[in-house]
Amino acid sequence: MKLQDLGEFQLIERIRQRATNRAGVWRGIGDDAAVLSLPEGHHLLTSTDMLIEGVHFRRDWTNGKALGHKAVAVNLSDIAAMGGCPRFLYLGLACPGEADLDEITAFLEGALEEAGKFDVTLVGGDTCRSPGPWIISVTVEGSAWAGQEIGRNGASPGDVIMVSGTLGDSALALRMLSSGQALPEELSQRHHRPIARVELGRRLGQQQLATAMIDISDGLAGDLEHILQASEVDGLVMEDSIPRSQAFQDQVKIDPEHGDLPLYGGEDYELLFTVAAENVARVYALSAEIGLPVTQIGVIQEGSGALRLQDKTGAVRPFLVRSYDHFCRP
Ligand code: ADP
Ligand code: MG
């Protein structure tokens, strides 16, 4: 069945039937606006991301369910990066009338499954016809105790730079897809089904352990630079300490030209954060408790936003930032 055989309002009704209302939702899908509340003393956190077919994804490289999952995960990641707890989800969807209803249903399933994992409720959205590409716009709202949000601007000299998980996997998967190579399953998962580090982010916020935080969507170099500039400090990263997965290391042995992807590659959705030296042990304890490795990759120094890299010989060089810009070629 095609979307045009069902129609906008029937689709919205199907979406409404699948959404379950949770805490804080007084009115969800079905009215002119959602009516929501936050726990007493919390600030509202809001983040939106767009995914455009042909720019952010190719439907022949992924499937509806993975796409729904990823569209939500990348937004949850932004709330996590603020040290917040995600709560409400909005789904804007534009598809051509000929779009396959099964693919849309799978997309919804993926999105709702991912939201459900974190008790996030789908409370609204918009549905339109697109003249061609699929356009997905996801908004997530969350909350944090007033004043406990973690911005990009709190890093101080002496803080340690830490990152969760491993870096470079998603970008490597994309490169391999682009050149028609078969993907090891681990890399495929990392690219198509990124995991938002919701628990780590929320706990770093709640326990006030991170001084600054960002999620890595554009690559370590570019995203760290956002922290350095917002905090008006310099950063020194030890190249050798950047965590790489086994699958990544195996692939780089075959093809060494991918070696710098942990520095520049995007879409890992790991958390990059700074921690006062006296709190580093507590962060490792938290990491062990939730079962998500974190790695110390550098230190914050006095300065005005410059990033430097130290190689295994100890030589230090300035970082050449090549993070992705939608309008400028790097
Ligand atoms: P309006 O004409 O005011 O834009 P709509 O008919 O688009 O209203 O939407 C009706 C209800 O359905 C609203 O609650 C809206 O948030 C919800 N809705 C529409 N599209 C979606 C979607 N893709 N996902 C979730 N909720 C949706
Ligand atoms: Mg509408």
Side-chain angles (χ1 to χ4, degrees):
M1 197 181 191
K2 292 176 176 173
L3 179 54
Q4 63 202 18
D5 301 324
L6 184 73
E8 176 186 342
F9 297 108
Q10 287 303 317
L11 177 66
I12 294 175
E13 179 52 22
R14 287 195 182 186
I15 297 174
R16 193 189 63 77
Q17 284 169 8
R18 281 160 198 263
T20 18
N21 283 2
R22 298 187 178 85
V25 181
W26 301 93
R27 283 169 194 261
I29 295 172
D31 221 310
D32 295 311
V35 180
L36 311 166
S37 62
L38 295 177
E40 192 84 27
H42 278 222
H43 276 169
L44 173 66
L45 310 175
T46 308
S47 179
T48 296
D49 266 305
M50 290 184 43
L51 293 173
I52 317 278
E53 183 179 357
V55 178
H56 299 94
F57 65 92
R58 283 178 52 161
R59 279 177 32 251
D60 55 340
W61 285 355
T62 185
N63 59 62
K65 190 155 182 193
L67 191 57
H69 168 110
K70 184 165 180 173
V72 171
V74 303
N75 274 270
L76 295 176
S77 176
D78 281 316
I79 300 293
M82 295 300 293
C85 174
R87 298 181 184 279
F88 313 120
L89 174 72
Y90 304 81
L91 216 51
L93 184 60
C95 297
E98 300 77 41
D100 176 23
L101 203 55
D102 288 342
E103 196 176 352
I104 294 174
T105 305
F107 169 80
L108 278 170
E109 248 170 49
L112 286 171
E113 187 179 291
E114 188 60 15
K117 273 189 216 160
F118 302 101
D119 268 353
V120 171
T121 310
L122 179 62
V123 294
D126 203 18
T127 310
C128 306
R129 190 179 63 82
S130 161
W134 282 42
I135 299 170
I136 299 160
S137 171
V138 178
T139 300
V140 175
E141 291 176 334
S143 75
W145 278 101
Q148 290 197 344
E149 316 81 32
I150 300 176
R152 299 175 176 183
N153 63 339
S156 313
D159 286 358
V160 164
I161 304 170
M162 301 185 94
V163 70
S164 64
T166 59
L167 299 185
D169 298 321
S170 178
L172 177 56
L174 185 60
R175 268 204 194 164
M176 293 175 72
L177 278 169
S178 309
S179 59
Q181 295 177 65
L183 277 186
E185 184 56 23
E186 188 185 339
L187 295 180
S188 172
Q189 288 287 325
R190 292 276 297 168
H191 182 67
H192 292 303
R193 313 244 358 199
I195 299 172
R197 303 308 189 182
V198 172
E199 187 62 12
L200 178 65
R202 195 175 63 79
R203 302 268 288 260
L204 288 171
Q206 223 170 37
Q207 297 176 38
Q208 293 289 283
L209 288 174
T211 51
M213 184 149 59
I214 192 168
D215 64 322
I216 303 185
S217 53
D218 295 337
L220 170 64
D223 287 324
L224 181 52
E225 191 168 62
H226 290 315
I227 287 186
L228 300 179
Q229 286 175 351
S231 301
E232 297 177 55
V233 293
D234 283 0
L236 176 67
V237 167
M238 322 306 165
E239 203 173 6
D240 252 15
S241 64
I242 301 173
R244 296 154 163 90
S245 69
Q246 193 56 53
F248 184 91
Q249 295 179 48
D250 293 346
Q251 208 57 45
V252 167
K253 265 182 216 142
I254 303 168
D255 206 341
E257 75 170 297
H258 303 314
D260 63 359
L261 286 177
L263 270 178
Y264 301 107
E267 292 204 300
D268 282 312
Y269 299 102
E270 294 296 346
L271 292 178
L272 172 67
F273 52 100
T274 55
V275 179
E278 68 267 23
N279 284 330
V280 170
R282 285 180 66 197
V283 172
Y284 279 121
L286 169 61
S287 147
E289 192 188 329
I290 64 179
L292 173 62
V294 297
T295 308
Q296 188 172 329
I297 59 166
V299 287
I300 296 293
Q301 301 173 328
E302 256 173 64
S304 51
L307 186 48
R308 286 180 293 274
L309 196 66
Q310 186 172 345
D311 67 19
K312 46 179 158 263
T313 71
V316 174
R317 65 178 194 279
F319 227 8
L320 177 65
V321 173
R322 284 191 279 166
S323 85
Y324 185 75
D325 181 314
H326 272 269
F327 299 102
C328 307
R329 297 222 164 263

